[in-house]
Structure formats: structure tokens, C-alpha cells
Amino acid sequence: MAVPYNHKAIEKKWRQKWEENPVNVDDGKKPKYYCLDMFPYPSGNGLHVGHWRGYVISDVWSRYKMMQGYYLIHPMGWDAFGLPAENYAIKTGQHPAISTAKNISNIKRQINEIAAIYDWDREVNTTDPDFYKWTQWIFVKMFKEGLAYEKEFPINWCPSCKTGLANEEVVNGCCERCGTPVTKKNLRQWMLRITKYADRLLNDLDKLEWPEKVKKMQTEWIGKSYGAEVEFPVEGKDEKITVYTTRPDTLHGATFMVLAPEHKLAAGLATPDQKEAVDAYIYAASMKSNVDRMQDKEKTGVFTGSYATNPLNGAKVPIWLSDYVLADYGTGAIMCVPAHDDRDFEFAKKFDIPIIQVIAKDGKAIENMTEAYTEASGTMINSGDWNGMESAVLKKEAPHIIEKMGIGRKTVNYKLRDWVFSRQRYWGEPIPIVHCPKCGNVPVPEEELPLRLPDVESYEPTGTGESPLAAIEDWVNCKCPKCGAAAKRETNTMPQWAGSSWYFLRYVDSHNDKELVSKEKADKYLPVDMYIGGVEHAVLHLLYSRFYTKFLYDIGVVDFDEPFHKLFNQGMITGKNGIKMSKSKGNVISPDDLVRDYGCDSLRMYELFVGPPELDAEWDDRGIEGVYRFLSRFWNLVMDNKDKNIKASKEMIKARHKMIHMITTRLEGFSLNTVISGFMECNNNLIAIAKKEGGMDKETLEAAVLLLAPFAPHMGEELWEELGHTDSVFHHEWPAHDEEAMKDDEVEIPVQVNGKTKAVISIPVDISKEDAIAKAKEVLGDKLSGNIIKEIYVPKKIVNIVAK
Ligand code: ANZ
Ligand code: ZN
């Protein structure tokens, strides 16, 4: 028996060798491959086994690409601005920069345990002034292009984090960070005009090789819909209420209308006897959090006492207020067609409003509707001139008809809103704007960037809607860059998403102090070929990054307009019973002990073995034993046979090529858990053949080691060296399979019907009886008639079918 597998010694040796002689080097000739991980937030809790999975997946993929001859861009960095560091600072009185630096060094140590082939020379940190200089520079460019603007309006406000939030940061009506129900607050905000890019963000999804699920989420988030605005004159007043509808075909069925309580006409529509009720309703709605408003509770509402006129048929329509209509979508007012809309139906039932059916499913009206008929298919009824038309056709034509009649216009609507870009917090990039009493908003000159975040005494959010920066007078008070008058700095900071919206561009030129990225390097190394990270970023980070990239494309910084060609979302690793790993739940499993006991290679492979990489998986430590045993067996196989000088049998060659084929196709399909089980199967098979033949040939051993290397890189290198190579295993080409050699041996046998030979077929020697007979029948075709009584297969000899 040769030396047993000693993971400790091997891993230590190769870490040092890789450090001295990096394996991923740009020789200027190789094509590039950019494989990017979503960079982590350096939290104080460090990494758990769940974090490992994504990094292992991307490292395996990177090393595989390297063996295919690419120079890798495989960087790592830190998304280090944000609330947790600031909250920690508030608790401990420590500057966020200090705790952040400490966390980074700890996580970096942990990440190094993965032995991923990161190029630390490219490292970025979003809180580094040399980095956020460019985050601010992009903002200034956006400001100059009219894409960054100020606006006062009721924004999402988290009463616990004491800051405004973007729509994307509100999950089910609660703060994405802390779970507190979000309320509304009127505040002056900086906004980014992402809506200007809505169509491009939507259409360009077609170019991307992304999971359909993510594309669908973005499509729905952008929410483009075609419809019409229709104007309803208010009875007895000079005003018109404009509604937005995607179903103008149902206009004859509008029996009431509803305005959002915040609609500017709402209060004024109240008749004297309804005034009290209307005011009370408007006040109550303003006090409700979004959660309350969105929950599917019973509909509430109030009648204003006023009526409008249906412009199509002159019908008198009562005007109601209800909070199921959102103030900031469409026009904030709707025409209600209870027969064909669920919410309107519920409302009409509750408040006893007439229901008029205008689409008949099979030409007949439904008596006593018990629910709305919401499909746009059927024939129009109760609709004047439109009677008899197909509703699906009318749905498309109605906007034009309405426009022609002068009672409205066709419109396109988006759910996407402009991005609320300011935060009333300390630990973020200062927004580089100066408010001058004469010149208005003036950007900080580009050559004065970065505008550094000043030190403060207290990190506490003020809660007044002002950031803690507002208290630092000698920072706030400044001179206008344009006219020199006394002016004040903007004290809001940027959201955490700012740095992560473009960091991937910086990696390829992270030390450049003249440009965000040089043209030359951008052309050579960008964009990202493969992006790997969690699915929770489907509409936030992944939409913002696309927006930023498109903007930078428009101003000529880069020459591509989509940042990430391919995307892979890994599932989460949870504790027992699918519970998310967290310190507070006490179910965090740290990789450190497992690495110590089983080695990095075993943990890497086990991370992949726990289940399909795109799905969540429950962690169970025990399985790692099996992976460790596999690696030991693999080790012994190579060590026992490396010096034997055996000539490969046909069977061995076949097994080798089948293994290459199996591992490569599974890897290409990102089916990484089945790659690991495939290794185990192949290993057993190879061991069995070797036993029969007294050993294993070197070529098969080499192929196996090459295939294993991206998964267990230390063992890969060590065994490659044991097989007599002096160069890194990762500089050797990925093995290719040979179709011919993979083919099973075949024999030709006669096919008889009732004892007479009718055909000859060629079949693999180890084919099953069922397959042999199936093939025989296929060849016989209509030469076979009557009822089959018996089917006989004598392996490698004959098929005989008895029929009557
Ligand atoms: C009349 C109608 C009849 C409607 C019918 C639907 C079915 P999407 O596809 O999401 O754009 N709506 C418009 N503005 C709204 C607002 N601010 N708050 C709540 N609902 C609003 O949906 C558009 C439809 O949602 C519009 O079409 C309108 O109701 C409603 F049988 O108008 B519909
Ligand atoms: Zn000025």
C-alpha cells in the first residue's frame, strides 16, 4: 500500500505553491473568461457553509474554463457600505470603517480556506474613497444628463431604520432589512430616472442567458401594459377624472369609479353631507401602513356624493374613494367594471352597486353572477354599437376608437418607478451636490472627487429625515463651485446599491486613478461572462446593474450595454427543517471545523454533493464522511497504479471515455451534484476493471485526475505531480472524449420469425433482452404479422419471434 491520503499536508503544500506561482496568468494570447461572484457584505458573523456553496460553484466553473484555455477574471471584493456596519457603530461607538476592516480581514481569511482562484490584486471595497470616487463620478454624470433629480414626495419610510427606502427594498410592505412595516413620509429625495430605460431594460432581457424565472421577475417588475386613459366629466363641475384602464373594451360595464384617497380631486368631490365621512376616510388611509393597505382584507371605501358621466354612453356613475386604488399607478383613478374585475366585483357586492355584464362567454348572459368573469374572450353584450364584437379584438381596438372619439387616448404604462436614491444615514457615499442659493444644485467638480465622508461624533440617525452629516457644520457649509457664494452640501448619502451597481467594471482596472476603467482594459476583459449568486437579487441589484451599464454605455465608458451575459442562481443552504442559518437561531454551521477534519477538497465536493445547485438544500454534516472516503479511494487508486506501466484494455479505454463524457456533460449542464455522484460511480467501475486486469494504465489515471482537479484542486495538483508532471494540472487541457472509443462492442445476429431468418441486426454485446427484441421488431416492421406468442433472445446469438 502506498502513502495514505493526508489532506493536511497536501493542502498546505499547494496553498504555498500557488501563492508563490499563481496558476492564472495573462500571457496576452489566451482569450479571457470573466466569472464573477456576487461580492459579500462583510458582516461580523463570518461565513457559514451556505456561503461556501456559491463560491465553490464559481471556482469549479472558473478552473474548468482555465483548463479550456482561458485567462480568468475571477475577482473578489466587498460591498461594505450599509446599515449593519452603521448599526454596529451606534451600538459600540466604533467607527464603521474600523469594524468593517476587521470583518473584511476575517472573511478574507475564511474565503481563502475555500482555495478559490481569486485574483486579490483586483480586490475592490465600495467604502474605499478611491472606489467611491467613481460611484460619485457616475452620479455627477447622471446629474448632468438629467437622470438624477430632486423631488419631494411621500416615500417609503422605515420607522425603525429611520430612513427612506426604494420600492425594491420594500418586501410585502415591510422593510427588507429589519421587517418593520413601512410607512409613508413626505421628504425631499434624490431620484434616478430609471424609468427612462424601462423599454431597453425590458427588451434587452432577450439577449441574456439568464434563468427564465429571473427574466420573468424583471419583466413583471417593469410591468409594461398597454391600455387607454379615458376621461369622465364630473357632473355639475368643470373637472374631468382621467382613469387608466387595460380593459377599455368593458367601458359600457363601468357602474362606478374609484379614486385613491390621495388623489388630488378626492377631498373636493365630497358633497356637503358626505364631507365628514370623506375626510375621515382620507385621514384613516394616510395613517395606514402599506402592509395594511395591501393585505387582502375586506374592501373599504366611501361614496363622495358626486357623480361622473360615462363619456361613451352618458351613464351616470357614482364616484367613490378606496385605498385599493394606488395613488402612484396609472392616474390614481379607475373606472370600475364589477362584472369583469375581481376587486371591483367584491366592492360592488359590499356596497350594493349594480353589476352589468358586457362580455358573454358563450353568447349568453350569466344570471346572478357570483364572481367576476375576468377573461377577455367572448362576445360583447349590453354595449351599444359594440354588441356582437369579439372582446379580444375590441380590447385592442378600443384605445384607437376612444382616441378618435376624443374621449381619451391610448397609453402605455409601467409599474417601474424612478429609483429613490437618497438615504438619511451616515455610512454611505455622500451625494456630491452643493445647494447654492443662487445657482441651485451644483455638482461637485469631477476633479474634486472623491468627496470624502467626514467623521462624525454620533452615527445615530436623526429621525427628522436629515442624515447625521447635517450636524457637521464645517462640512455642510461650503462655497458654491460655480459662483463661490456661501452654499450648503447635500447631506443625504447613497443607498447600498450604488457601489454594487457597477463594481464588476472596476475589477478589471481597480488601480486606475484617472478613469473608472480604461478603454483598453474594458475592451479586453469585459463584460462578465458568468455571474453566480443568490436569487434574492432578481429585481434589485440585477436591475440596477443593468441600468448603470446602459447609462455608462450611453456616455461612452463601455461599449456593451448588458453587464452579465450568463447568470446562475444557486439555492440556499439551510439548517435542519429548511430554517435559514442565522446566529440568532443558533443553527449556523461554520466551515472551519470541517476544513480542519476533512480538508478543503472534501468540503468543496460535499458542498456540491448536497443537492442540485439551483435548489435549496438542508445541511447535514454526516454526508461529508462519504465524500472523504471517496477521495481516499481515488487517492489509493492513483498511487497504487501510477508506476505499474499497464497497457489499457479495450474495456478500460471505453470506461475512460465514458467517464470523460459523463463528467463533462454534467458539468456543462451545471448539474454539479451529479458530477460528484458520477465520480463515485466511475471510480468504482475503474477499480473493478483494474482489479480484473491487474492494474490501470497511466492515460486513464491522468484523465481521472484532470477531471477531478477543478473540484478537489489540491489533490488534483498532488496526484498530477505524482504522475510525473512538473507543471500545474490547471495548465493542462481538459480531456476530450472519443465517440468511437465509447461505443460498446457490437455483434451481428439474425432475426427470425417462426424460425426463418428475416433480417440481420447489429447490437451491443451487453444489450438487454427488451432492447434486443425492440430493435429486432423495429427492423422487421411489417414483415412481422399476426399475434406474437413468444419472443426469444439468446445473447449474442439470435432473436426469434414466434407469431400466429
Ligand atoms: C377597468 C377594468 C375592467 C380593469 C376590467 C380591469 C378589468 P395592470 O395590468 O396592472 O396595468 N388600475 C388602474 N390603475 C390602478 C390603480 N392606480 N390602482 C389599482 N388598480 C388600478 O392593471 C390595470 C388595471 O388595473 C386597470 O384596468 C384598472 O382596472 C386597474 F374588467 O380598468 B381596469
Ligand atoms: Zn452658486
Side-chain angles (χ1 to χ4, degrees):
M1 227 11 185
V3 242
Y5 173 39
N6 178 346
H7 68 260
K8 281 209 176 93
I10 296 172
E11 293 186 359
K12 191 165 165 220
K13 167 178 163 187
W14 286 100
R15 282 315 158 76
Q16 204 176 339
K17 286 213 173 201
W18 290 331
E19 180 121 11
E20 287 158 9
N21 275 313
V23 286
N24 176 43
V25 273
D26 187 7
D27 62 1
K29 290 194 282 275
K30 282 181 272 193
K32 67 91 188 180
Y33 191 90
Y34 189 167
C35 180
L36 177 68
D37 287 279
M38 288 186 184
F39 64 164
Y41 173 78
S43 113
N45 299 330
L47 299 188
H48 58 64
V49 291
H51 297 108
W52 263 60
R53 176 143 85 154
Y55 303 143
V56 171
I57 293 170
S58 78
D59 189 57
V60 163
W61 189 252
S62 297
R63 288 177 186 270
Y64 168 57
K65 285 290 159 190
M66 188 161 53
M67 291 172 81
Q68 288 186 324
Y70 291 97
Y71 165 62
L72 291 178
I73 311 291
H74 190 43
M76 188 40 91
W78 316 101
D79 188 16
F81 271 130
L83 284 180
E86 186 176 319
N87 288 341
Y88 187 76
I90 291 167
K91 216 163 72 190
T92 60
Q94 201 179 68
H95 194 286
I98 293 171
S99 56
T100 301
K102 217 158 61 195
N103 293 346
I104 286 178
S105 90
N106 181 45
I107 295 189
K108 195 163 170 179
R109 176 192 63 77
Q110 283 193 303
I111 283 188
N112 276 323
E113 289 294 300
I114 296 170
I117 190 155
Y118 293 125
D119 187 344
W120 288 108
D121 224 29
R122 303 189 177 282
E123 181 176 358
V124 301
N125 173 346
T126 54
T127 65
D128 178 350
D130 290 339
F131 179 91
Y132 71 65
K133 164 178 178 174
W134 299 104
T135 311
Q136 292 173 328
W137 181 86
I138 297 171
F139 184 90
V140 168
K141 290 287 182 198
M142 286 189 172
F143 177 80
K144 290 179 177 168
E145 299 289 326
L147 287 175
Y149 66 98
E150 257 186 317
K151 184 179 166 189
E152 176 162 328
F153 77 110
I155 58 147
N156 302 308
W157 176 261
C158 172
S160 167
C161 294
K162 296 186 178 139
T163 184
L165 300 173
N167 284 344
E168 288 84 347
E169 289 169 309
V170 180
V171 179
N172 294 328
C174 295
C175 171
E176 187 214 26
R177 271 253 120 77
C178 72
T180 307
V182 169
T183 56
K184 295 274 175 190
K185 189 178 174 97
N186 238 334
L187 270 187
R188 179 188 60 84
Q189 296 296 326
W190 279 96
M191 308 287 293
L192 294 188
R193 215 180 290 282
I194 189 173
T195 51
K196 194 179 162 201
Y197 285 73
D199 269 324
R200 286 166 69 187
L201 289 168
L202 185 66
N203 298 337
D204 290 350
L205 284 171
D206 283 346
K207 294 193 212 166
L208 305 176
E209 281 181 47
W210 285 18
E212 283 309 316
K213 193 167 88 184
V214 177
K215 289 195 195 183
K216 183 157 171 264
M217 283 170 82
Q218 293 212 351
T219 304
E220 283 169 4
W221 189 261
I222 296 165
K224 184 173 187 175
S225 62
Y226 297 88
E229 283 180 9
V230 186
E231 284 167 351
F232 284 62
V234 180
E235 264 188 16
K237 283 201 176 162
D238 229 5
E239 268 153 350
K240 281 182 179 165
I241 297 171
T242 306
V243 304
Y244 170 63
T245 176
T246 44
R247 296 295 307 278
D249 52 313
T250 64
L251 193 46
H252 283 278
T255 53
F256 61 106
M257 56 197 309
V258 172
L259 272 55
E262 299 86 352
H263 195 285
K264 64 179 194 303
L265 298 178
L269 285 167
T271 52
D273 47 331
Q274 286 297 93
K275 179 137 185 46
E276 205 175 318
V278 166
D279 287 346
Y281 189 81
I282 293 176
Y283 178 72
S286 75
M287 296 307 286
K288 271 197 202 170
S289 73
N290 275 10
V291 192
D292 293 336
R293 283 185 64 157
M294 276 168 17
Q295 258 164 13
D296 224 1
K297 281 186 303 213
E298 226 183 82
K299 299 261 172 307
T300 61
V302 65
F303 177 46
T304 60
S306 297
Y307 292 84
T309 310
N310 185 327
L312 193 61
N313 57 13
K316 186 172 165 134
V317 205
I319 304 170
W320 289 69
L321 306 184
S322 173
D323 61 12
Y324 81 87
V325 174
L326 307 171
D328 60 356
Y329 185 66
T331 59
I334 65 174
M335 65 175 208
C336 299
V337 186
H340 302 286
D341 180 275
D342 291 326
R343 292 163 306 174
D344 300 348
F345 185 85
E346 203 189 312
F347 196 88
K349 278 280 176 204
K350 174 155 182 197
F351 293 105
D352 223 2
I353 301 171
I355 298 173
I356 301 176
Q357 188 184 353
V358 292
I359 304 169
K361 201 175 170 186
D362 337 284
K364 273 183 294 198
I366 305 168
E367 274 173 50
N368 277 326
M369 283 190 126
T370 52
E371 58 178 0
Y373 173 60
T374 56
E375 273 157 65
S377 84
T379 351
M380 303 310 300
I381 55 172
N382 299 325
S383 292
D385 290 352
W386 292 354
N387 281 341
M389 284 182 79
E390 273 305 304
S391 94
V393 177
L394 183 58
K395 184 170 177 249
K396 289 206 189 88
E397 278 178 20
H400 305 276
I401 301 175
I402 285 162
E403 199 161 281
K404 271 213 193 102
M405 290 176 68
I407 58 173
R409 65 204 69 84
K410 47 181 192 280
T411 53
V412 175
N413 243 281
Y414 298 87
K415 291 222 161 67
L416 186 68
R417 298 281 91 119
D418 276 346
W419 176 5
V420 178
F421 198 68
S422 34
R423 298 293 178 274
Q424 295 70 44
R425 300 291 304 230
Y426 171 71
W427 192 230
E429 303 85 346
I431 290 179
I433 293 286
V434 170
H435 302 281
C436 168
K438 281 187 242 155
C439 314
N441 289 334
V442 182
V444 173
E446 287 169 27
E447 57 284 2
E448 282 174 30
L449 299 175
L451 171 61
R452 282 169 194 269
L453 193 56
D455 283 334
V456 290
E457 300 268 308
S458 158
Y459 309 104
E460 287 291 344
T462 59
T464 60
E466 286 218 82
S467 112
L469 295 182
I472 314 174
E473 300 215 340
D474 55 351
W475 187 79
V476 173
N477 294 314
C478 64
K479 288 215 164 65
C480 169
K482 213 160 155 188
C483 73
K488 285 195 186 303
R489 286 193 192 285
E490 171 63 52
T491 58
N492 281 327
T493 53
M494 297 188 198
Q496 198 183 348
W497 311 108
S500 60
S501 294
W502 72 276
Y503 75 108
F504 44 90
L505 303 174
R506 185 66 179 168
Y507 278 136
V508 305
D509 200 4
S510 54
H511 305 293
N512 191 339
D513 58 1
K514 305 268 173 336
E515 296 154 295
L516 186 154
V517 56
S518 77
K519 263 240 129 23
E520 186 210 333
K521 293 206 165 130
D523 286 351
K524 203 159 146 197
Y525 299 130
L526 294 171
V528 174
D529 296 288
M530 170 66 90
Y531 198 15
I532 294 176
V535 73
E536 66 275 15
H537 294 296
V539 285
L540 297 151
H541 165 59
L542 288 174
L543 191 66
Y544 297 152
S545 306
R546 296 183 58 223
F547 164 51
Y548 264 56
T549 303
K550 287 181 188 306
F551 171 69
L552 293 171
Y553 168 81
D554 289 351
I555 62 168
V557 175
V558 294
D559 66 357
F560 48 89
D561 64 354
E562 281 292 340
F564 316 124
H565 178 61
K566 275 192 188 169
L567 173 71
F568 182 81
N569 292 125
Q570 86 267 12
M572 207 166 46
I573 292 217
T574 66
K576 280 242 150 19
N577 304 319
I579 297 167
K580 195 173 166 169
M581 279 192 194
S582 83
K583 223 175 192 172
S584 61
K585 298 204 181 77
N587 62 350
V588 170
I589 297 184
S590 155
D592 298 4
D593 295 350
L594 295 169
V595 169
R596 186 196 57 216
D597 296 342
Y598 299 97
C600 168
D601 285 348
S602 288
L603 184 53
R604 285 170 62 104
M605 291 188 76
Y606 185 56
E607 290 276 351
L608 304 178
F609 192 48
V610 293
E614 67 280 9
L615 299 184
D616 292 353
E618 260 180 46
W619 185 262
D620 182 350
D621 270 357
R622 285 168 301 182
I624 195 172
E625 284 278 353
V627 172
Y628 186 78
R629 273 199 305 274
F630 156 73
L631 280 177
S632 305
R633 268 203 307 273
F634 188 92
W635 171 268
N636 292 337
L637 177 71
V638 179
M639 296 301 277
D640 291 347
N641 287 291
K642 67 185 172 84
D643 301 320
K644 277 194 184 156
N645 236 334
I646 295 248
K647 194 167 174 310
S649 67
K650 214 165 168 197
E651 191 183 1
M652 185 65 90
I653 294 174
K654 188 167 86 184
R656 181 205 305 157
H657 286 284
K658 281 190 162 175
M659 166 175 70
I660 296 171
H661 179 73
M662 178 204 266
I663 301 299
T664 310
T665 32
R666 291 180 181 185
L667 176 53
E668 280 287 338
F670 255 77
S671 181
L672 301 173
N673 56 321
T674 68
V675 170
I676 310 298
S677 56
F679 270 128
M680 294 173 175
E681 273 167 53
C682 292
N683 202 39
N684 291 339
N685 186 28
L686 293 178
I687 290 174
I689 301 173
K691 208 165 180 181
K692 241 178 10 199
E693 299 180 351
M696 216 168 129
D697 66 294
K698 188 138 173 228
E699 221 176 310
T700 307
L701 292 173
E702 286 188 339
V705 169
L706 287 167
L707 295 175
L708 185 77
F711 299 87
H714 309 87
M715 185 183 274
E717 291 277 34
E718 181 69 15
L719 291 178
W720 192 243
E721 191 178 81
E722 288 287 354
L723 285 167
H725 298 275
T726 48
D727 196 9
S728 166
V729 66
F730 297 105
H731 292 167
H732 200 284
E733 228 174 286
W734 187 255
H737 74 277
D738 175 354
E739 277 306 324
E740 275 307 308
M742 260 169 63
K743 278 208 184 123
D744 291 307
D745 285 340
E746 303 220 326
V747 281
E748 291 197 333
I749 58 163
V751 178
Q752 299 189 333
V753 178
N754 296 333
K756 282 199 193 103
T757 300
K758 300 275 182 186
V760 174
I761 56 170
S762 176
I763 51 164
V765 287
D766 49 359
I767 194 170
S768 67
K769 178 179 174 182
E770 291 73 32
D771 289 347
I773 288 175
K775 179 126 193 227
K777 285 183 181 165
E778 186 191 319
V779 171
L780 286 173
D782 36 326
K783 282 188 200 141
L784 182 63
S785 59
N787 287 330
I788 295 170
I789 295 170
K790 210 170 178 185
E791 297 168 335
I792 302 157
Y793 171 57
V794 185
K796 293 188 251 180
K797 293 271 161 7
I798 195 168
V799 173
N800 188 10
I801 296 175
V802 183
K804 250 193 191 149

